[in-house]
Amino acid sequence: MAVRREDLRAGDADRAFVAGRLKIALDEGRLSVDDYDERLRQAYAATTYGDLDRVLADLPVTVPEEEAQLMPAGAYYPAQQSTSWLQPLQTMPAWRVWFFGLLLLAIVVLLTGALIVVLGPR
């Protein structure tokens, strides 16, 4: 005769796991404090897996953050992370940024003037 999972006796580690899931549900706002307290009592009084399953029956299954496939909101564009090509500009003093910008502008103007001299005015 096969024993159903619901009828197997639960251990302390199983009850602690359910208590952890209830704490997560409380932190996420899925349970009120009173509901959490009642379910926690039921979890520690549970003797079988079926008893524990009933405590969690209406709560969604949660996945630890490190195992989640989805990125949390804002993880794709974090404010503190910068792209590598902007990093030197962000750590450089402001006067150097302006200096290199003016230097680049001067080079463009000189090259444009040289092209006009070589090609001649039209």
Side-chain angles (χ1 to χ4, degrees):
M1 181 173 124
V3 178
R4 298 180 311 161
R5 180 189 172 280
E6 301 87 40
D7 297 331
L8 293 175
R9 296 190 64 84
D12 289 338
D14 303 315
R15 288 184 277 276
F17 175 79
V18 171
R21 292 266 317 273
L22 291 172
K23 175 69 171 118
I24 291 170
L26 175 68
D27 292 342
E28 292 176 342
R30 298 181 193 278
L31 295 175
S32 67
V33 175
D34 293 334
D35 196 20
Y36 169 74
D37 188 47
E38 176 62 31
R39 289 180 189 224
L40 194 60
R41 286 184 185 147
Q42 290 173 2
Y44 281 112
T47 56
T48 65
Y49 283 117
D51 296 336
L52 292 176
D53 289 343
R54 283 187 285 282
V55 171
L56 299 175
D58 62 340
L59 296 174
V61 176
T62 57
V63 177
E65 187 175 323
E66 58 274 0
E67 296 176 18
Q69 298 288 324
L70 300 174
M71 281 198 264
Y76 190 71
Y77 298 108
Q80 70 276 9
Q81 184 179 353
S82 65
T83 55
S84 60
W85 66 273
L86 281 178
Q87 188 63 36
L89 292 177
Q90 292 173 343
T91 59
M92 192 180 299
W95 68 269
R96 284 191 179 172
V97 175
W98 281 102
F99 175 77
F100 287 122
L102 288 173
L103 184 63
L104 182 61
L105 180 63
I107 291 170
V108 169
V109 168
L110 288 174
L111 288 176
T112 305
L115 283 175
I116 291 175
V117 170
V118 170
L119 297 176
R122 294 196 174 209

